[in-house]
């Protein structure tokens, strides 16, 4: 059985926005298994300086991420799109086990297969320490 994740490419402004919102909702669930289902079985990732391939590596990466990045909250914004690609900018807030808060900023480039699954995700991310009272996504 082939996994399918509408909307499918080629994207329009409306369908690209729906894809971005679905990604935001998925990641805000902080459920690694749920998030991984949006990617192809052999999906290729670069996240900061980490390179991953496949759903199993994605799930393990996300489990580790959300063990370290507590109370994670994400916002994504559509930046550009074309046939089967979407670019987004994002920011998210989280704190570590010492209760230091951070706002992380970044850009992602996505490429999708014909079934609407992401086959490539390349993310560049920078972290900014913030005070708890400077949070925007509480």
């Amino acid at each position: 059985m082939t996994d399918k994740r509408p909307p499918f490419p080629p994207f329009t402004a409306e369908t690209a926005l729906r894809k971005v919102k679905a990604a935001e909702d998925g990641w805000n669930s902080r459920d690694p298994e749920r998030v991984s289902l949006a990617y192809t079985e052999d999906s290729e990732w670069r996240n900061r300086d980490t390179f991953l391939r496949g759903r199993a590596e994605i799930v393990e990466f996300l489990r580790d991420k959300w063990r370290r990045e507590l109370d994670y909250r994400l916002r994504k914004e559509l930046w550009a799109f074309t046939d089967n690609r979407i670019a987004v900018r994002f920011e998210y807030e989280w704190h570590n086990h010492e209760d230091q808060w951070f706002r992380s900023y970044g850009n992602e480039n996505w490429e999708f297969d014909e079934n609407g699954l992401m086959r490539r995700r390349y993310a560049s991310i920078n972290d900014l320490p913030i005070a708890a009272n400077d949070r925007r996504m509480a």
Side-chain angles (χ1 to χ4, degrees):
M1 184 168 99
T2 302
D3 295 329
K4 295 187 182 260
R5 265 305 156 128
F8 307 112
F11 296 114
T12 64
E14 178 187 337
T15 60
L17 281 169
R18 284 195 350 237
K19 199 60 123 172
V20 171
K21 178 62 174 148
E24 178 181 281
D25 291 346
W27 280 65
N28 279 326
S29 76
R30 294 181 291 223
D31 179 341
E33 287 79 13
R34 173 184 169 190
V35 172
S36 75
L37 296 177
Y39 302 92
T40 62
E41 287 285 344
D42 63 348
S43 187
E44 178 183 304
W45 278 29
R46 182 186 57 77
N47 194 90
R48 301 177 191 250
D49 63 350
T50 301
F51 294 83
L52 308 169
R53 183 173 287 279
R55 285 185 183 163
E57 289 184 15
I58 291 168
V59 167
E60 191 56 37
F61 173 85
L62 293 174
R63 279 188 188 133
D64 290 343
K65 172 184 181 64
W66 290 321
R67 277 194 280 261
R68 291 184 321 273
E69 297 181 2
L70 307 174
D71 296 321
Y72 175 97
R73 192 73 183 142
L74 167 73
R75 289 187 190 144
K76 289 187 182 282
E77 176 187 349
L78 176 64
W79 194 255
F81 70 93
T82 188
D83 297 329
N84 70 334
R85 293 181 174 160
I86 295 176
V88 298
R89 67 153 303 279
F90 62 88
E91 61 183 65
Y92 61 92
E93 293 178 348
W94 57 280
H95 67 89
N96 61 21
H97 288 280
E98 290 76 39
D99 214 26
Q100 169 62 59
W101 281 92
F102 295 87
R103 187 173 303 116
S104 299
Y105 298 94
N107 300 295
E108 290 177 320
N109 296 312
W110 301 342
E111 183 179 271
F112 294 86
D113 72 3
E114 64 280 356
N115 295 312
L117 297 172
M118 197 181 302
R119 69 174 148 218
R120 289 188 183 95
R121 174 186 173 268
Y122 303 120
S124 297
I125 307 166
N126 299 295
D127 302 317
L128 175 68
I130 60 172
N133 62 354
D134 288 335
R135 293 175 51 212
R136 297 183 203 156
M137 297 181 226

